[in-house]
Amino acid sequence: MEIRQSTHPGEILLEEFVKPYGLTQKKLCELLGVGIKTISEIYNKKRGISPLMALKLANLFGTTPDFWLNAQNAYDLYQTYEKQKNEIDKIEKIA
């Protein structure tokens, strides 16, 4: 089994949305109604995108919540596979 490496949604948020819109971390926090620590942890891959945050980001940037949740899911799958691939690869396919 191979799982493609995925980008953390915090990096996507920063590089594809925050920087192009010229937002500061403080301004983003104000717009989303969250604390600095929340956004800092998302940027630094210490926190994932929750369903509530996905809804807020989708509303703010005109995306869909699925965009954010799919990015988080892909990242989580990759991280889990990397940590557990020896165990996962021991399982023999039956189909």
Side-chain angles (χ1 to χ4, degrees):
M1 173 184 287
E2 246 344 276
I3 303 289
R4 189 175 75 89
Q5 184 172 0
S6 297
T7 304
H8 189 277
E11 188 175 339
I12 295 169
L13 173 61
L14 181 60
E15 297 297 329
E16 302 296 326
F17 293 91
V18 172
K19 286 182 179 179
Y21 281 93
L23 298 173
T24 63
Q25 186 171 341
K26 181 179 178 185
K27 183 64 176 176
L28 179 63
C29 292
E30 290 171 7
L31 292 169
L32 293 172
V34 299
I36 292 279
K37 182 178 179 185
T38 298
I39 295 302
S40 178
E41 288 179 347
I42 290 172
Y43 284 170
N44 292 301
K45 304 177 189 178
K46 293 180 180 179
R47 180 186 296 221
I49 300 295
S50 68
L52 176 58
M53 183 58 72
L55 289 163
K56 288 181 174 188
L57 291 170
N59 195 46
L60 180 62
F61 292 114
T63 61
T64 65
D66 294 330
F67 171 81
W68 298 102
L69 292 176
N70 288 339
Q72 185 64 54
N73 190 47
Y75 181 80
D76 290 345
L77 279 172
Y78 178 75
Q79 293 301 310
T80 300
Y81 178 72
E82 284 300 303
K83 289 177 185 171
Q84 303 292 327
K85 66 181 161 186
N86 290 336
E87 181 180 338
I88 294 164
D89 290 342
K90 289 178 187 176
I91 298 171
E92 293 186 31
K93 292 177 179 66
I94 61 171

